[in-house]
Amino acid sequence: LADFYISNFKKLPPFSETDSLFYKDLCDVFTSIEATTKRLEKLAILTEFFLRVLTTFPMDSETSQHIVVTALYLCINRIAPDYDGIELGIGESVLMKAVAEATGRTLAKIKADVAKVGDLGTVAQESRSTQGTLFKPKPLTILIVFKTLKEIAMMSGNSSMQRKVDKVKFLLVSCRDNEAKFLMRSLEGKLRIGLAERSVLVALAHASVLIRHKNLSKESLEEKLNQASESIKTAFSELPNYERIAPPLILHGYDALEHHCKLTPGIPVKPMLAHPTKSISEVLTRFDGITFTCEYKYDGERAQLHRLEDGSMRIYSRNSEDMTQKYPDIMGRIPSFTSESTSFVLDCEAVAWDKEERKIMPFQVLSTRKRKDVKEEDIKVQVVVFAFDLLYLNGQSLLRESFAERRAKMFSAFKEVEGVFTFAKSMVLTQVEEIQSFLDESIVDNCEGLMVKTLDGAESTYEPSKRSRNWLKVKKDYLAGIGDSLDLVVIGAYAGRGKRTGVYGGYLLACYDPDNDEYQSICKIGTGFSEQALESQYEQLKPHIISAPKPYYKYDHDSTKPDVWFEPSLVWEVKAADLSISPIYKAAYGRVDPSKGISLRFPRFIRLRDDKSPEQATACSQVAEFYNQQAVINQQTSKSAGAC
Ligand code: ATP
């Protein structure tokens, strides 16, 4: 990219200055990004955009920083940090009503067009362009659009539907050209220009380098661009908040991020993730010569416990969702296992606990707890917190310390209280037999298996948001199937027949491709469901029915077309016998076979993953990795069978 930037970004025209940026300028950028499938091209277009923004507006003013942050949010189609829980994603019916009212067309016509075109955004744009207007409305700015989107998302209560329609209409009547299309898509919750959040961050980081360093050689520029990309990704995984990251980046450059953007209690860190393994010998090969520790892998819900400097406390899910309301019992007991003055961020698993038997209960018991408006007196399922990592203590981030050091600090700052708070059971083991018996023991104790983690040195720091090879998971049923379950998005359903009349008889599932922002079909599933589950799925999926498949669904029209389509909402954990190359399913297409995808054989429903958003479903790269791993193992098996 350095070469490209040097040759093309010498003198970029500033935007026509207003006190904000015109929404049209941003929509033109979206149009250019949508027109290419090349990731680097998308990145370059967005870098150019941010560079022009930085050139147009003096960056030391608050308004200008607000403009950059707003543009960032609009690019990733969010209106607040993930953990604030403010979501866009207005129902299709509300939006169709608004388009009809704003353009003077009938609702029936809008519906028919959407069924034909498949994209309400395009229908809105076309409906606007054929509409005669008496006067030219004032152009929209990004600040007005963003403010209104936020207002719409915050509306609730009885008359909120009509108030939302009115706000959408207010924006729609001012839309020109492509603005209506992107506005609608934003409101629907998906921009669909194939832009990953990472690229948006990297583009801003690149722009911050280019505005500072105008005459660097290609090599020096390349080096700075790489450093800037890494710095912003690290900063964001530790402090996932644009308001906190963009201003220091713009004002001081990427090298100041480490100083300004530190993990802060009250802002959830993106959790470190583990790599699946299929055997203990695979673990030993990976950790040859490295000190590691084995821990029980508890089967509950990840819980990041925060105590802020002011003493207030919060709990966040794996998905950075605020779960403080869900666990008033944990909140009330935090003081019993730590001293009052301690500020901290603890990585834990909340697990259902049988008080009488004094043992862990399976995940299914935990999942019966209410998620919202939980009153402590109504709680029937007791929960124990199993702490496995300490990320912050008394004003200090511990992320860059070794696991051994973090754990030592955890052991001394907290104390175990039976039935309330316990450290994850762990052992330093080196032999296959010892690990196997610890694994067996974990299963007897109602756990899922083991987590094996590096203990010392630079390889054992906490790596936020990374699926790291320094954490390996060994699940109890690793020998059967494909080593790990997959978390898949329900994108469609088939009408039930016979005993299943009145509910769905099967579903079409998809994995996610973050690079192209698309859902790729991976299998049909119809087994593993109780009658009761089928009924509740029918109800759960009802609000997510859409009239046509999303353009970002990749599926085979002839052989897998479902009877009903859903917007991406539910994530299901699924196990399968194995993976196979498929001419029909589209998962990871082009990654293993140039023209075919991958599908699951004998998929079985395990559970709903309501702690994962659709974009956190199993990525197509992981599907390809599972397939390749399986191929290696099959080869080894057939070789050893040949040797016999
Ligand atoms: P992933 O998050 O890796 O996609 P997942 O959410 O489906 O997968 P698992 O495959 O079950 O989760 O494995 C990781 C999860 O295990 C962690 O997110 C955490 O909630 C849980 N866990 C239980 N015990 C531990 C432990 N000792 N150390 C780390 N994580 C643990």
Side-chain angles (χ1 to χ4, degrees):
L1 273 175
D3 237 356
F4 179 85
Y5 290 158
I6 291 171
S7 346
N8 293 282
F9 291 180
K10 278 246 153 58
K11 224 175 159 37
L12 295 175
F15 288 112
S16 47
E17 219 179 318
T18 61
D19 52 347
S20 170
L21 185 76
F22 290 125
Y23 185 50
K24 177 84 178 77
D25 289 326
L26 185 61
C27 289
D28 287 344
V29 170
F30 290 163
T31 301
S32 309
I33 292 176
E34 192 182 24
T36 173
T37 50
K38 298 198 180 87
R39 208 175 46 82
L40 286 183
E41 233 169 77
K42 288 178 194 276
L43 181 60
I45 295 167
L46 203 56
T47 304
E48 177 182 346
F49 165 74
F50 280 123
L51 191 53
R52 288 182 66 196
V53 172
L54 299 186
T55 318
T56 312
F57 302 98
M59 276 305 128
D60 47 2
S61 87
E62 260 180 44
T63 322
S64 309
Q65 290 169 18
H66 188 42
I67 289 173
V68 171
V69 172
T70 304
L72 279 171
Y73 274 124
L74 289 170
C75 286
I76 58 148
N77 208 32
R78 290 199 63 87
I79 37 179
D82 281 359
Y83 56 89
D84 265 5
I86 311 171
E87 298 258 348
L88 268 173
I90 314 295
E92 203 182 45
S93 52
V94 174
L95 294 178
M96 288 203 271
K97 188 163 184 260
V99 175
E101 288 181 19
T103 59
R105 300 183 69 212
T106 64
L107 189 56
K109 280 212 172 98
I110 302 289
K111 275 187 182 165
D113 283 359
V114 172
K116 200 160 65 192
V117 180
D119 175 24
L120 179 59
T122 309
V123 174
Q125 180 177 346
E126 280 164 10
S127 306
R128 280 287 297 145
S129 65
T130 51
Q131 187 183 21
T133 38
L134 289 175
F135 67 99
K136 247 189 164 18
K138 253 175 84 178
L140 289 170
T141 64
I142 63 163
L143 295 185
I144 297 258
V145 171
F146 188 69
K147 182 170 160 275
T148 317
L149 291 180
K150 219 167 178 167
E151 286 166 358
I152 294 171
M154 306 281 275
M155 283 176 182
S156 61
N158 283 346
S159 60
S160 66
M161 158 117 165
Q162 190 53 48
R163 284 186 290 132
K164 281 182 189 178
V165 170
D166 291 342
K167 285 277 177 196
V168 177
K169 271 164 58 187
F170 157 77
L171 290 175
L172 260 178
V173 291
S174 300
C175 281
R176 300 155 190 227
D177 309 328
N178 52 3
E179 288 177 324
K181 169 163 133 186
F182 293 112
L183 177 69
M184 279 300 125
R185 290 191 186 173
S186 275
L187 286 159
E188 281 184 297
K190 202 129 193 77
L191 215 44
R192 288 187 1 242
I193 50 173
L195 193 59
E197 183 164 13
R198 282 197 302 284
S199 305
V200 179
L201 285 168
V202 170
L204 182 65
H206 282 189
S208 80
V209 170
L210 294 168
I211 194 131
R212 280 194 166 68
H213 305 282
K214 299 219 163 62
N215 297 310
L216 286 182
S217 67
K218 183 189 150 197
E219 289 70 29
S220 314
L221 181 60
E222 193 101 54
E223 195 185 332
K224 287 210 176 297
L225 293 173
N226 288 339
Q227 287 167 350
S229 310
E230 284 315 306
S231 302
I232 198 155
K233 283 191 241 168
T234 306
F236 189 70
S237 58
E238 292 179 23
L239 192 70
N241 181 314
Y242 288 141
E243 280 95 335
R244 300 279 194 112
I245 290 180
L249 172 71
I250 296 159
L251 284 176
H252 311 294
Y254 70 85
D255 31 12
L257 283 176
E258 195 175 337
H259 174 69
H260 288 275
C261 306
K262 291 205 173 81
L263 189 165
T264 308
I267 299 182
V269 191
K270 302 242 175 210
M272 181 165 171
L273 305 170
H275 248 278
T277 53
K278 272 184 76 82
S279 66
I280 294 170
S281 54
E282 190 185 334
V283 171
L284 291 175
T285 311
R286 157 70 188 102
F287 288 157
D288 189 23
I290 298 173
T291 324
F292 61 86
T293 179
C294 301
E295 289 177 354
Y296 270 16
K297 183 178 187 313
Y298 296 93
D299 194 10
E301 182 174 25
R302 195 154 185 170
Q304 208 176 82
L305 265 55
H306 287 230
R307 182 145 72 200
L308 286 60
E309 314 296 343
D310 66 5
S312 60
M313 295 173 283
R314 306 240 203 304
I315 303 179
Y316 295 100
S317 72
R318 180 197 184 284
N319 197 10
S320 302
E321 203 184 319
D322 193 336
M323 298 197 296
T324 313
Q325 307 290 332
K326 185 184 170 185
Y327 288 118
D329 41 349
I330 299 182
M331 295 295 291
R333 290 179 201 146
I334 291 178
S336 72
F337 53 84
T338 180
S339 88
E340 284 299 340
S341 58
T342 318
S343 62
F344 60 82
V345 176
L346 258 182
D347 208 353
C348 315
E349 187 84 351
V351 182
W353 179 252
D354 184 332
K355 242 190 330 197
E356 270 78 55
E357 300 279 325
R358 294 161 71 197
K359 63 172 202 197
I360 289 169
M361 304 227 272
F363 173 81
Q364 283 68 21
V365 178
L366 183 72
S367 66
T368 58
R369 270 180 71 123
K370 263 175 75 179
R371 288 190 77 77
K372 291 207 173 98
D373 306 321
V374 181
K375 292 202 187 75
E376 200 165 352
E377 56 274 23
D378 299 335
I379 293 174
K380 294 198 181 61
V381 176
Q382 172 153 354
V383 159
V384 177
V385 171
F386 285 93
F388 51 81
D389 215 323
L390 179 62
L391 315 185
Y392 182 98
L393 185 67
N394 292 332
Q396 294 295 320
S397 165
L398 309 183
L399 296 178
R400 288 177 184 68
E401 297 192 6
S402 74
F403 186 35
E405 288 163 327
R406 299 199 303 277
R407 219 163 53 163
K409 287 185 178 160
M410 176 170 80
F411 292 154
S412 65
F414 298 86
K415 61 170 187 287
E416 294 192 315
V417 180
E418 206 207 54
V420 173
F421 178 85
T422 312
F423 300 119
K425 188 164 175 176
S426 69
M427 289 185 95
V428 174
L429 305 166
T430 50
Q431 303 302 315
V432 175
E433 300 73 29
E434 296 170 336
I435 301 176
Q436 182 62 54
S437 73
F438 195 44
L439 176 65
D440 295 341
E441 202 185 304
S442 76
I443 306 307
V444 173
D445 287 343
N446 262 337
C447 290
E448 257 194 310
L450 300 179
M451 294 289 281
V452 190
K453 303 176 178 177
T454 48
L455 201 51
D456 291 321
E459 274 201 283
S460 71
T461 56
Y462 192 92
E463 301 168 80
S465 85
K466 283 219 177 91
R467 188 171 298 285
S468 169
R469 292 200 183 270
N470 297 328
W471 276 22
L472 302 179
K473 49 185 174 187
V474 188
K475 291 195 183 175
K476 63 182 168 195
D477 42 4
Y478 67 94
L479 285 174
I482 54 177
D484 201 9
S485 51
L486 289 92
D487 298 316
L488 302 170
V489 183
V490 192
I491 58 168
Y494 305 91
R497 296 201 180 83
K499 264 169 87 180
R500 290 188 175 180
T501 308
V503 293
Y504 298 124
Y507 303 91
L508 181 63
L509 303 184
C511 65
Y512 181 60
D513 177 355
D515 289 336
N516 295 307
D517 197 11
E518 64 187 26
Y519 292 90
Q520 305 169 340
S521 64
I522 189 164
C523 66
K524 284 183 191 172
I525 188 168
T527 44
F529 305 111
S530 65
E531 235 169 79
Q532 200 190 2
L534 287 168
E535 274 165 29
S536 75
Q537 283 155 5
Y538 188 80
E539 291 307 316
Q540 267 176 341
L541 285 162
K542 215 185 238 170
H544 303 293
I545 295 177
I546 46 176
S547 43
K550 300 282 187 188
Y552 50 94
Y553 285 178
K554 298 289 163 226
Y555 69 103
D556 185 84
H557 187 272
D558 296 327
S559 50
T560 55
K561 185 174 174 275
D563 300 314
V564 183
W565 289 103
F566 306 114
E567 58 195 356
S569 52
L570 298 194
V571 179
W572 286 353
E573 183 175 349
V574 168
K575 277 191 181 153
D578 57 22
L579 299 144
S580 56
I581 295 286
S582 163
I584 293 168
Y585 291 97
K586 306 291 178 193
Y589 66 90
R591 285 178 183 257
V592 175
D593 182 289
S595 60
K596 293 180 184 148
I598 293 173
S599 75
L600 298 187
R601 290 205 322 133
F602 306 121
R604 228 164 4 102
F605 171 81
I606 305 297
R607 63 163 123 150
L608 169 73
R609 290 293 308 252
D610 51 4
D611 60 336
K612 278 197 171 182
S613 68
E615 286 170 3
Q616 286 169 331
T618 300
C620 59
S621 54
Q622 284 174 272
V623 175
E625 211 175 298
F626 283 143
Y627 179 85
N628 289 331
Q629 241 172 22
Q630 175 187 286
V632 170
I633 287 164
N634 287 349
Q635 252 176 14
Q636 283 167 353
T637 323
S638 61
K639 259 193 210 151
S640 54
C644 290

